[in-house]
Amino acid sequence: MTTNKDAFSDYLQLEKKYSPHTVNAYLNDVISFESFNAIHFDQENVEQVNYGQIRNWIVSLVDSGISNSSVNRKIASLKAFYKFLLKIKQIEINPLLKHKALKVPKTLQIPFSEKEVEEALSQMQNPQGFEAIRNKLIVDLFYTTGVRRTELIHLKKINVDLAKNTIKVLGKRNKERILPLLPIVANQFLLYGQERLNLAVIVDADYFFLTKKGLKLNDSFVYRLINSYFSTVSEKVKKSPHILRHTFATHLLNNGADLNSVKELLGHSSLASTQIYTHNSLSELKKVYQEAHPRGQK
């Protein structure tokens, strides 16, 4: 018999087009609340709970020491579950309808400066061998396209079109977008492609970026790669693929790109997501304004 959780899982995958990883995260959060409810309220049926019971779970999560942002993510999963139950008429009232998310301190994502990027890339001039050529291409691709880490990892060989100097990536909620390649980066694709052909073994042949053993890259590998190259040129706390994506957007805006174009390149569904990158471009704009205006130096 199909349970509400099974139906919820199908809904997330088939209608919402969420990735398997996201679906599992949602279901694990619902199951976590189920377990809490069974232990503390002797009630396994979470379809018939009140907000007081959920509030107790929230308090226990906070007391366990996890961050407010992590608690909010778990509650978002539960809220999505109850919205689904409303949709299929299994409940009449969403117990989380009036819940307000816990406050999360805003953390400013500080991008790399243009000088830091240039210094990182200068370490990689004239790369020799498969790994060095691949690593330089990965850094350049993050910086020149703003691609997400998971999009880079899952880039398929078939979706690299060097005749048109474009790549097609699969973003959040399975949304595809086509990204243009700068000629200098397209040339690196050709160079890497030639080295890739010389691998002794290729296991994950469909994927474009591989390890020297012919396997698809993973999240931690790509994180370590970016962190290692930028650790020598930057003292910023965070040196990750996401910061490089953030850097891509900030540098475009600083150099006159319009917000809508950056939104499309990043694959954001709304301008609100892109506007977080305007903090740094605003400081650059103030600097230019102060230097250029006749009264700016007075």
Side-chain angles (χ1 to χ4, degrees):
M1 188 178 88
T2 301
T3 66
N4 284 332
K5 286 201 300 294
D6 292 333
F8 180 51
S9 175
D10 290 342
Y11 166 73
L12 294 176
Q13 291 181 72
L14 303 176
E15 289 195 40
K16 302 295 284 184
K17 305 293 185 185
Y18 288 169
S19 70
H21 176 79
T22 302
V23 173
N24 286 335
Y26 273 59
L27 291 176
N28 286 338
D29 291 335
V30 172
I31 291 168
S32 173
F33 176 60
E34 271 187 339
S35 300
F36 176 87
N37 214 45
I39 293 169
H40 293 272
F41 297 101
D42 196 25
Q43 180 185 7
E44 293 185 9
N45 183 8
V46 295
E47 285 84 345
Q48 305 299 326
V49 302
N50 57 54
Y51 181 66
Q53 290 167 268
I54 298 173
R55 183 70 186 170
N56 272 281
W57 184 49
I58 294 171
V59 170
S60 75
L61 291 172
V62 172
D63 287 346
S64 72
I66 69 173
S67 67
N68 282 8
S69 58
S70 294
V71 174
N72 286 340
R73 183 188 59 76
K74 291 177 180 295
I75 299 304
S77 300
L78 202 59
K79 186 178 283 189
F81 180 59
Y82 285 123
K83 283 177 72 174
F84 170 71
L85 293 181
L86 270 175
K87 184 183 177 76
I88 62 172
K89 300 189 180 341
Q90 290 293 302
I91 60 174
E92 294 181 1
I93 298 173
N94 184 341
L96 278 163
L97 186 62
K98 295 184 179 180
H99 172 76
K100 291 184 179 179
L102 303 182
K103 289 185 178 180
V104 177
K106 290 184 179 179
T107 55
L108 185 61
Q109 301 274 10
I110 303 174
F112 300 117
S113 67
E114 291 186 32
K115 182 182 177 184
E116 286 172 331
V117 175
E118 287 303 318
E119 287 180 356
L121 290 172
S122 70
Q123 302 174 47
M124 312 167 82
Q125 292 298 322
N126 303 314
Q128 301 295 317
F130 171 77
E131 290 184 290
I133 290 169
R134 177 204 59 204
N135 293 355
K136 185 175 190 308
L137 175 54
I138 287 174
V139 174
D140 262 327
L141 193 61
F142 275 126
Y143 181 56
T144 60
T145 67
V147 70
R148 295 181 178 94
R149 173 168 41 176
T150 185
E151 292 169 347
L152 181 140
I153 289 171
H154 292 95
L155 177 64
K156 297 289 183 70
K157 189 179 173 187
I158 197 173
N159 289 330
V160 176
D161 188 347
L162 295 182
K164 295 180 180 177
N165 280 2
T166 61
I167 58 172
K168 182 163 63 175
V169 298
L170 189 64
K172 289 185 176 180
R173 301 186 183 180
N174 289 331
K175 288 173 62 178
E176 290 184 340
R177 73 184 186 283
I178 294 175
L179 297 172
L181 299 176
L182 295 177
I184 191 172
V185 178
N187 288 337
Q188 289 181 56
F189 266 84
L190 282 170
L191 188 60
Y192 167 75
Q194 291 165 0
E195 291 290 330
R196 188 181 182 280
L197 290 172
N198 296 327
L199 288 175
V201 178
I202 295 182
V203 180
D204 296 319
D206 288 345
Y207 295 94
F208 188 72
F209 287 107
L210 302 173
T211 68
K212 63 182 180 181
K213 294 181 179 179
L215 299 170
K216 184 181 74 167
L217 305 185
N218 58 51
D219 283 352
S220 59
F221 177 94
V222 177
Y223 176 86
R224 290 196 307 271
L225 188 154
I226 299 302
N227 187 269
S228 66
Y229 281 108
F230 281 87
S231 288
T232 60
V233 301
S234 176
E235 294 183 358
K236 292 180 173 64
V237 175
K238 290 194 71 176
K239 295 175 278 287
S240 67
H242 182 72
I243 295 299
L244 204 42
R245 171 173 159 88
H246 185 74
T247 301
F248 160 79
T250 302
H251 290 184
L252 279 180
L253 290 166
N254 284 351
N255 286 281
D258 70 275
L259 204 58
N260 255 315
S261 298
V262 176
K263 165 186 170 290
E264 293 302 318
L265 288 167
L266 291 172
H268 286 160
S269 57
S270 71
L271 273 177
S273 300
T274 315
Q275 283 169 337
I276 63 169
Y277 298 104
T278 60
H279 294 296
N280 301 286
S281 57
L282 182 59
S283 64
E284 183 72 15
L285 185 61
K286 285 179 179 177
K287 179 183 172 185
V288 171
Y289 169 64
Q290 195 162 12
E291 289 176 354
H293 196 279
R295 297 188 62 83
Q297 304 300 321
K298 294 180 181 181

